[in-house]
Amino acid sequence: MMKKLMVIIVLFLPISYLATIDNSANAEIVIPSYAKWGRLAMEKTKAKYPNAQIIDYLHIGKETKGDTTVEKFKLWLKGKEKEFGVFIDISYNPKTEEVIKITYKETDR
């Protein structure tokens, strides 16, 4: 009986509270290597689709060929009339981190 009661209580605790009861005193926050590019993808997508709200985000992966790296993302947007996806590819020089090109491709899936 006690286990069931404890589970119910945990389910109703705010997520921020659950984060504070982490047992590992030396827990590290790991920032993924693509975080910078993900922020850029969201900023550029907001600028390109100002009347839509970004409701989901996915990092698809990274490809490197020669002097160019491409970070691939899929964002899901909700506009006034419809919901749709946008594939964003950010090509950049990995040594200088200079953006070469950003491409967008809309999808209904």
Side-chain angles (χ1 to χ4, degrees), residues 18-81:
L18 291 176
T20 62
I21 60 172
D22 184 351
N23 291 333
S24 58
N26 296 322
E28 291 184 34
I29 297 174
V30 178
I31 299 173
S33 62
Y34 59 83
K36 171 184 178 174
W37 306 110
R39 282 190 298 275
L40 181 63
M42 290 195 304
E43 288 172 15
K44 296 295 186 177
T45 301
K46 285 180 188 178
K48 185 168 178 64
Y49 302 95
N51 296 322
Q53 178 183 5
I54 298 170
I55 58 174
D56 201 5
Y57 164 100
L58 173 68
H59 177 248
I60 297 172
K62 173 170 72 171
E63 294 178 3
T64 301
K65 293 181 183 175
D67 294 337
T68 304
T69 297
V70 180
E71 293 283 356
K72 297 175 173 283
F73 299 91
K74 180 180 181 186
L75 302 181
W76 195 255
L77 285 72
K78 183 175 184 176
K80 293 179 183 177
E81 305 288 323

